[in-house]
Amino acid sequence: MTMKKIISLTRRSFVKETSLGAAGAVLTLNGITPLCANYMQDSNKPALLGGSPVRPKGSVLGASWPIYDDSDVKMYLDAYESNIWSEFSHIEKERVFQIEKKYAEYMGSDYCVATSSGTAALETAQRAIDIGPGDEVITQTNTFIATALSTFNLFAIPVFIDSDPETFMINADLIEERINENTRAIIPVHIGGAAADMDKIMAIAKKHNLVVIEDACQAHLGEWRKKKLGTVGDMGCFSFQAGKSLCCGEGGAVIGNDEYLMARAKGYTHIGNDPRRKGRVFPGSNFRMTPFQAAILSGQIRRLEEQSTLRDENAAYLEKLLGEIKGVRATKKYPGQTRRGYYIYGMIYEKEHFNGLPKSKFREAIRAEGISFGNGIDSSLHRNPFIETYFNLRAFQKIYSKERLDKFRRENLCPVNEMIERETGLSLGQKVFLGSKKDMEDIVTAIVKIQKNSSALL
Ligand SMILES: Cc1ncc(COP(=O)(O)O)c(C=O)c1O
């Protein structure tokens, strides 16, 4: 189609003559002209087949990450020049103390214990409730490996629950069948930053007297019924690793309201010391955060709300655009989710709207257009060989009978998550949502371009 012909199209013929259909109609109705203009590119050859890409080579979709300025650098240097490079007194003037106070306030929790990483936070929380050999902790297959490592490292067994195909979250309806006399806790993961179904999970935990530790490592500022994710269960764990929407390179935190549990948590991070000045009375390690990590966080946290609001706006805009096309849609959210956090934004690919084009080929084609989609899930941990690595450890062989481990292996099935991984899961990283409206439009333009050319890409 020539440029002249495109320009002369009426709205009606534009809709009729293109496979954009509803997309063209609503996007133009809403006066979103850039996408309409991009139609010229839509009709082009896909970049994978030698056409020009939607995004010029080298252009950054969204923002470069991390974001900082001179004031952040000064805060870091101040920590350096203070000559106090390790903090353990738990007093007001310490940088770590201050960030703990601030994060607790921010989250609306009574206590915050800073840790050296999110992995350390998860281990700390499980130590606080004395998870140990013989115990089982229910979690999900769709999570970063550290969620499960933190349980395995306590010589307990993480039990992997399958995902919901529409939300990509833990399928809470499958939890109860895996609870037995050894189950001590549930660790739901707010994977990607969206909320797990906390109403159902809390009800199950109450019924079976289980502790709930929310893995909110990817979910800063997300909310469930207006409460921050991480404050719905008994404890919440966060990661401040470099890619997270609140970051300091490496770092983490446990939050909670129970004074005793949180004292145990603090104690575990600092050689067993009860922070209430009651001496070295708890099991302990050294998972302390450094003042340098605290200094970076103090800088970063100033931008968290503003950045999250921008991500919310861009995500809402992208969802609106996606709502007008078929074939790629946002994952559903549970009604209790009043706000999401951002790490990985999940989407569902439906190949029937792309002439059967497999997801892998779609991802390859859209990458060539300058837009990188992830796989939609973090992992399929139930299939990960690390399970057998732990089961083969001398300690595991001593603690667990062959029958028990075989039973675990038989029940360790998560076909839905495998299907999401293989066929339907797509995702975009949090920094994409720090971009412009045009970035969101480019994403949809590229999807539509591939859709229109899907037979040629087969
Ligand atoms: C869901 C989840 N849990 C735990 C962790 C571990 O956090 P960290 O990398 O800070 O140890 C991460 C980090 O990516 C995560 O995404």
Side-chain angles (χ1 to χ4, degrees), residues 48 57 118 137 165 190 217 227 240 273-274 297 308-309 361 376 413 432:
L48 196 60
K57 267 213 161 59
V137 175
H190 302 300
C217 282
K227 282 180 81 172
F240 304 131
N273 261 339
D274 188 327
L297 278 179
S308 299
T309 303
K361 193 74 188 188
L413 304 169
V432 168

Side-chain angles (χ1 to χ4, degrees), residues 117-119 122 143-144 146-147 189 191 215 217-218 239 241 244 251:
S117 68
T119 311
L122 284 159
T143 181
F144 184 56
T147 313
V189 185
I191 198 74
D215 181 339
C217 282
Q218 303 187 355
S239 165
Q241 179 272 339
K244 304 299 186 311

Side-chain angles (χ1 to χ4, degrees), residues 170-402:
I170 184 171
N171 185 340
D173 292 334
L174 302 177
I175 292 178
E176 269 193 294
E177 64 196 52
R178 301 298 300 279
I179 292 174
N180 60 43
E181 68 282 5
N182 298 309
T183 311
R184 295 277 322 282
I186 308 177
I187 305 188
V189 185
H190 302 300
I191 198 74
D197 189 348
M198 290 310 290
D199 288 354
K200 270 194 190 161
I201 291 165
M202 294 308 288
I204 294 167
K206 192 165 171 209
K207 181 171 159 197
H208 296 274
N209 197 23
L210 303 174
V211 176
V212 175
I213 299 170
E214 295 173 75
D215 181 339
C217 282
Q218 303 187 355
H220 315 79
L221 289 200
E223 290 175 4
W224 185 259
R225 302 198 185 285
K226 298 278 180 194
K227 282 180 81 172
K228 294 280 186 298
L229 295 180
T231 65
V232 184
D234 300 281
M235 284 178 279
C237 297
F238 290 85
S239 165
F240 304 131
Q241 179 272 339
K244 304 299 186 311
S245 49
L246 178 62
C247 72
C248 63
E250 300 289 351
V254 184
I255 59 172
N257 293 335
D258 186 288
E259 185 190 337
Y260 177 70
L261 276 188
M262 293 307 288
R264 281 183 66 104
K266 184 71 185 170
Y268 192 66
T269 65
H270 178 43
I271 55 170
N273 261 339
D274 188 327
R276 299 166 300 178
R277 318 273 170 221
K278 291 184 180 166
R280 205 169 289 162
V281 292
F282 296 133
S285 186
N286 174 2
F287 284 176
R288 290 191 301 270
M289 178 178 272
T290 69
F292 304 111
Q293 290 167 296
I296 300 174
L297 278 179
S298 305
Q300 290 294 311
I301 204 168
R302 297 173 301 171
R303 301 184 184 87
L304 181 58
E305 179 54 50
E306 199 183 322
Q307 288 172 341
S308 299
T309 303
L310 177 58
R311 291 188 191 99
D312 285 341
E313 285 166 9
N314 276 325
Y317 185 56
L318 179 64
E319 274 165 33
K320 185 169 149 183
L321 297 182
L322 289 177
E324 305 307 335
I325 63 167
K326 286 203 167 17
V328 177
R329 59 190 169 93
T331 48
K332 288 198 176 136
K333 61 178 182 185
Y334 296 108
Q337 178 184 300
T338 42
R339 191 181 194 187
R340 61 165 296 150
Y342 292 88
Y343 184 59
I344 299 285
Y345 173 92
M347 284 164 293
I348 297 175
Y349 177 71
E350 293 166 323
K351 71 174 176 205
E352 55 274 29
H353 296 288
F354 290 81
N355 289 306
L357 188 74
K359 184 179 83 162
S360 53
K361 193 74 188 188
F362 169 84
R363 284 181 64 201
E364 195 188 338
I366 203 153
R367 199 177 315 119
E369 301 297 338
I371 287 155
S372 273
F373 276 112
N375 213 23
I377 63 156
D378 208 311
S379 193
S380 269
L381 284 189
H382 67 287
R383 286 191 316 199
N384 194 303
F386 83 125
I387 297 171
E388 292 303 324
T389 302
Y390 275 91
F391 283 179
N392 284 319
L393 289 180
R394 214 160 46 83
F396 273 77
Q397 295 280 316
K398 267 194 195 168
I399 298 162
Y400 299 98
S401 67
K402 183 173 177 315

